[in-house]
Amino acid sequence: MRKIQMVDLKGQYEKIKPEVDKNVMEVIETTAFINGPEVHAFQKELEDYLNVKHVIPCANGTDALQIAMMGLGLKPGDEVITADFTFAATVEVIALLQLTPVLVDVNPFDFNIDIEAVKRAITPNTKAIVPVHLFGLAANMDEIMKLAEEHDLFVIEDNAQGIGANFMHSNGSKSKTGTIGHAGTTSFFPSKNLGCYGDGGAIFTNDDDLAHTIRGIVNHGMYERYHHDVVGVNSRLDSMQAAVLRIKLRNLNDYNNARRDAARKYTNAFSQESKIITPLICDNCDCHVFHQYTLVIKDADRDALVKHLNENGIPCGVYYPIPLHKQKAYQDERYNEADFPVTNKLVQECISLPMHTELDDEQIGFITKTIIDFVNG
């Protein structure tokens, strides 16, 4: 059996090596390293893939979130509601801009932001909601957009883990996650479903005026060289990363389908195990792209399982071991532990298994048998 990787970037690269190497060498030979033709081509191709009017590339996913908030004109003290159970970058940028983070609980069945908790958290100072399409599963965007319209709020989708996922609206139509809110953001960190070979990110929007503002912000606030019309930052996707992403975007649907196939095999193997709660898989399964395949372990020691897997050569991840409301940087007397029952359980029970495009049946069989033997031992 091949060595099991949490993410097998080398195996994936080997399948696209000639195309990637050719594109990267063309960038080197032309020396168009910053804002070159590859960046513009990738931007257009991603717009077409997402069916969104504007893609603005930037340096990383965290910058993308910050720039989206800057572009929407949020002011210090404005409240921004987001999920407690996610990576810190989502709340980090809120605090950096001197906005007020408002953390709320998530659903136990899909780990995404709890709509009822959002409703309870809205105040006259609330200006935005940041839903996270956690682990690659689309959040309930119809309900979120309905709330936003009722209360005149902005919606910024954190789509760092969900690129390529579809959200099915109540009317039966579908939209790509990241394209439904006023703005969407993503990360091209190497381990993402669409990942580059360094750092990268992007902002999406269908709003022409917002796109214009954001294009200035990412480039030092300039639309014309040395004319600084808005307060900006220096946040660019470099041409070599764009060259890689162009190749990988052409394969993204196949990559996501490979992840879905692996997820189904995991779920089938665990189907008779009462101590193992598997992630949601829809009938057509295109609402989930399985950036992570995350189990909830009941009536067994999750941390002991992590140790057991590592001892058997199986990498795994605990995303996330500490709720954001308990992190030293984001503690606030406004928070009541009774408001976070789901998150406080998930951080003790969740475990994410190897998930990538190169998983094979032998590896999945070994992983699932090792877990089943442990929880029943």
Side-chain angles (χ1 to χ4, degrees), residues 79 122-127:
E79 293 179 0
I122 294 173
T123 76
N125 294 321
T126 305
K127 294 296 185 289

Side-chain angles (χ1 to χ4, degrees), residues 10-71:
K10 185 175 181 180
Q12 187 187 69
Y13 164 65
E14 288 172 351
K15 293 182 178 178
I16 55 174
K17 184 179 187 300
E19 299 167 277
V20 168
D21 291 358
K22 176 177 178 292
N23 273 21
V24 169
M25 285 307 302
E26 285 179 358
V27 172
I28 294 172
E29 288 168 1
T30 62
T31 68
F33 299 120
I34 300 296
N35 206 28
E38 291 292 320
V39 176
H40 298 293
F42 171 66
Q43 174 185 320
K44 179 62 170 64
E45 289 161 4
L46 188 55
E47 286 169 349
D48 292 343
Y49 176 83
L50 295 171
N51 191 28
V52 69
K53 288 179 72 176
H54 304 284
V55 167
I56 302 98
C58 63
N60 56 69
T62 307
D63 276 8
L65 281 166
Q66 178 176 323
I67 291 161
M69 293 179 193
M70 292 171 68

Side-chain angles (χ1 to χ4, degrees), residues 26 30 54 60 71 137 142 149 222 239 297 343-344 376:
E26 285 179 358
T30 62
H54 304 284
N60 56 69
L137 176 61
D142 276 353
E149 186 174 354
M222 294 189 295
S239 297
I297 303 298
T343 297
N344 286 338
N376 292 322

